[in-house]
Amino acid sequence: MIDAVCTYGGERHTFSILKFQMLPETEIEKFRQFLQCPECEGKAYYRKRSSDGKVACFGSRYHVAGCDEGHPSTQRDRETRHSVEVNKVISDADIISIDFMLANTKKPVIEEQAVVPTSTPTPPTKNANTSGKHTRNIEQSKVKVLGLEKILNSLMRGSDLAESSTLIELDTGYKFKAKNLFVNFAEAEPSANAKEAKPKMYWGTISHLDKELDWLNPSDCNDVGIPISKYKSIILERFNVSEGRQLEGAGIILFGKCFWNSKKTRKIIELWNSDRIFISVLED
Ligand SMILES: [Zn+2]
């Protein structure tokens, strides 16, 4: 995208990338969470110039199908494929079980489909830190296992998952309707404090980070902050990130709690742990 529309202050102003990157840093920080694709109005991001000389650019992970600004790429093709696949899973399966470790391995992602008959012990999941000795009380339910990458890609590409009543199993015995579990950052409803907050799967895209890479700021809204300092080194290493710019425009899904900060000025989304997060870094 050569241009992006900025909706800051309720006005629509079109910036060229050349003009936007010349703005003072304070203006850029103010405007960057209000950017849209000029054609399809999909939420957009700004990526600053990289330390190794990659130019600054605008982009969007949310171009609608057919938007001329949404240039085809292998990454977008994969996201679209995942969206189609997840829609099929929703119509076929009774329960979708999330394997958090599936997204965290660097090996090719292989997902299994299992018809689980009564009283058959479930084989222990690879790398799962559960006891592995439980027996599922699912009678003839069709269970499909999905990793976070497919789930995130399908949500970003507008699959039916966000509105679906399909049951999602996070941990054995803990099931939620998909539509009650997956929440875009823009729709996050904070509890009064961390204690009262119920964890959900929050998703969206990252606009930018602070200089220390301690906070992720979503593109989808400007009132949410995700502190990652506690797990920073693990997360940055897992997703192969060495500078903040690499996360500008990245898709993200995480399991966590949303609550107000003490001044009630900002919604905090606190990660559950370092495993229950997936980041779809831009491949370019
Ligand atoms: Zn677009």
Side-chain angles (χ1 to χ4, degrees):
M1 281 166 41
I2 295 167
D3 297 331
V5 172
C6 176
T7 61
Y8 184 84
E11 285 173 29
R12 297 179 67 80
H13 186 91
T14 303
F15 282 102
S16 70
I17 185 64
L18 292 172
K19 207 169 149 196
F20 196 83
Q21 68 176 346
M22 299 299 282
L23 292 173
E25 205 166 327
T26 50
E27 301 274 278
I28 289 178
E29 295 307 293
K30 213 157 60 179
F31 295 156
R32 66 190 308 168
Q33 281 166 297
F34 295 87
L35 299 174
Q36 291 182 350
C37 167
E39 189 176 316
C40 73
E41 301 192 351
K43 267 284 178 190
Y45 60 83
Y46 166 72
R47 295 189 98 184
K48 59 178 175 250
R49 179 200 294 267
S50 76
S51 55
D52 62 353
K54 290 196 188 90
V55 295
C57 61
F58 291 129
S60 172
R61 302 297 293 268
Y62 296 123
H63 291 296
V64 301
C67 174
D68 290 338
E69 296 283 356
H71 301 296
S73 68
T74 50
Q75 186 170 25
R76 181 152 298 147
D77 286 350
R78 188 169 64 247
E79 289 169 6
T80 305
R81 255 195 344 268
H82 285 170
S83 172
V84 171
E85 188 182 328
V86 169
N87 276 352
K88 193 171 178 304
V89 168
I90 292 169
S91 58
D92 286 353
D94 301 314
I95 296 168
I96 296 172
S97 171
I98 297 184
D99 184 345
F100 291 100
M101 302 315 290
L102 207 51
N104 294 341
T105 56
K106 292 195 173 132
K107 292 173 208 143
V109 174
I110 299 161
E111 283 140 310
E112 323 118 52
Q113 180 158 3
V115 175
V116 183
T118 317
S119 306
T120 300
T122 312
T125 319
K126 231 190 321 167
N127 299 332
N129 51 5
T130 53
S131 73
K133 285 209 160 177
H134 54 259
T135 302
R136 288 200 193 196
N137 290 321
I138 301 160
E139 299 191 4
Q140 303 292 347
S141 293
K142 259 207 274 180
V143 180
K144 174 85 184 175
V145 179
L146 285 176
L148 288 184
E149 182 183 10
K150 279 189 185 171
I151 288 175
L152 172 63
N153 284 344
S154 84
L155 288 166
M156 286 199 299
R157 297 321 300 158
S159 74
D160 301 333
L161 193 59
E163 304 298 328
S164 166
S165 293
T166 303
L167 289 176
I168 309 290
E169 187 178 54
L170 291 184
D171 300 295
T172 307
Y174 287 90
K175 296 189 201 76
F176 307 84
K177 282 183 183 168
K179 62 183 176 187
N180 298 333
L181 181 65
F182 299 110
V183 180
N184 180 264
F185 293 127
E187 265 109 53
E189 287 177 15
S191 298
N193 55 57
K195 244 185 189 168
E196 287 172 28
K198 298 224 164 43
K200 295 188 178 223
M201 305 271 343
Y202 294 96
W203 67 276
T205 53
I206 299 169
S207 165
H208 61 286
L209 289 79
D210 63 317
K211 286 209 168 59
E212 287 72 37
L213 313 186
D214 285 334
W215 289 82
L216 306 177
N217 301 294
S219 315
D220 314 79
C221 55
N222 68 329
D223 56 359
V224 168
I226 306 160
I228 58 161
S229 52
K230 205 168 156 189
Y231 310 109
K232 184 164 67 177
S233 56
I234 302 174
I235 291 171
L236 297 184
E237 195 196 327
R238 183 187 309 149
F239 299 103
N240 204 12
V241 171
S242 53
E243 61 177 330
R245 180 195 192 266
Q246 290 169 278
L247 290 177
E248 292 170 352
I252 180 172
I253 186 166
L254 61 96
F255 188 61
K257 290 175 163 188
C258 181
F259 50 88
W260 285 113
N261 65 356
S262 53
K263 290 179 187 158
K264 291 211 182 319
T265 51
R266 201 160 164 75
K267 302 169 187 173
I268 307 296
I269 296 182
E270 187 181 78
L271 269 69
W272 189 258
N273 62 25
S274 62
D275 289 337
R276 299 191 167 191
I277 178 169
F278 180 79
I279 298 176
S280 165
V281 177
L282 273 169
E283 299 161 11
D284 57 5

